[in-house]
Amino acid sequence: MVKYKYTAENCFESIIPQSAYIENTKVENNILSLTFESLEIGKEHPLNPFDTECETKEVVLVFYDFEVLESGYYDCSHVQKQFKDFDKDCTYNLIPLLELLNDFTIVTEDIKEKNDTFFEQTFEGFPWSHGEDTWGYFKLRYKRMEMLWNSFHNE
């Protein structure tokens, strides 16, 4: 297993929302690992040594004891209007998480529930392998998350 210089736990509040392409996905022993080229963290992040927002280099988000509550995408390829209501206008397709995350960019995330035993969090974005006129969605329940990386771009 790779040893990381920085390890932060359950720190989604300190990650700056931005589009983030998933470079690699791995599931093993009820652990989901998502690798990104980089993520932007706020100056309040407990492991940010700088007095400003900064960007990590390659980073892995690891979700322990995770469960997929929902995984799918909205297909809007048949919708001709400019503004689409995904629930009303588009076709929703349930698919396995690993199939959804193949060539996926996360655009937004939201922690729906957080308590002493688990987090429930949704992620939305572009599932590129399912077409350009699609919008992906997945919801996870997990016990904890770790953010792992070795360096920052401005080091």
Side-chain angles (χ1 to χ4, degrees):
M1 184 160 166
V2 177
K3 182 84 169 142
Y4 291 94
K5 182 176 178 181
Y6 300 100
T7 301
E9 192 170 309
N10 302 330
C11 60
F12 262 104
E13 291 84 5
S14 303
I15 298 174
I16 308 294
Q18 64 176 5
S19 292
Y21 182 76
I22 300 172
E23 300 283 331
N24 189 22
T25 304
K26 181 175 152 186
V27 174
E28 193 172 75
N29 299 325
N30 207 27
I31 298 170
L32 170 66
S33 300
L34 304 177
T35 303
F36 301 88
E37 182 179 328
S38 66
L39 287 177
E40 183 103 6
I41 61 173
K43 68 180 188 177
E44 74 283 351
H45 190 287
L47 298 179
N48 183 349
F50 308 103
D51 194 28
T52 184
E53 297 172 352
C54 65
E55 190 174 357
T56 68
K57 288 192 179 174
E58 183 179 89
V59 61
V60 180
L61 298 182
V62 182
F63 300 89
Y64 293 92
D65 296 319
F66 86 101
E67 175 185 353
V68 179
L69 301 178
E70 189 172 353
S71 172
Y73 67 94
Y74 292 92
D75 180 356
C76 303
S77 60
H78 60 282
V79 180
Q80 299 303 311
K81 57 187 182 179
Q82 185 175 359
F83 298 103
K84 300 167 180 92
D85 180 329
F86 291 118
D87 290 323
K88 291 180 183 174
D89 300 331
C90 306
T91 305
Y92 187 70
N93 300 288
L94 288 170
I95 60 171
L97 181 65
L98 293 180
E99 187 179 325
L100 177 70
L101 296 183
N102 177 32
D103 201 20
F104 194 91
T105 298
I106 294 174
V107 176
T108 183
E109 60 78 27
D110 184 30
I111 295 177
K112 299 293 187 187
E113 186 173 345
K114 178 172 142 178
N115 61 41
D116 291 341
T117 57
F118 67 85
F119 294 81
E120 276 189 11
Q121 188 166 2
T122 59
F123 299 85
E124 297 181 47
F126 298 108
W128 299 109
S129 63
H130 297 284
E132 288 189 22
D133 208 7
T134 58
W135 184 252
Y137 172 88
F138 63 100
K139 184 174 185 178
L140 301 177
R141 177 181 289 147
Y142 57 92
K143 289 193 178 175
R144 70 183 175 96
M145 180 276 294
E146 285 183 339
M147 179 179 176
L148 311 165
W149 74 102
N150 284 320
S151 60
F152 294 93
H153 277 287
N154 51 346
E155 282 185 317

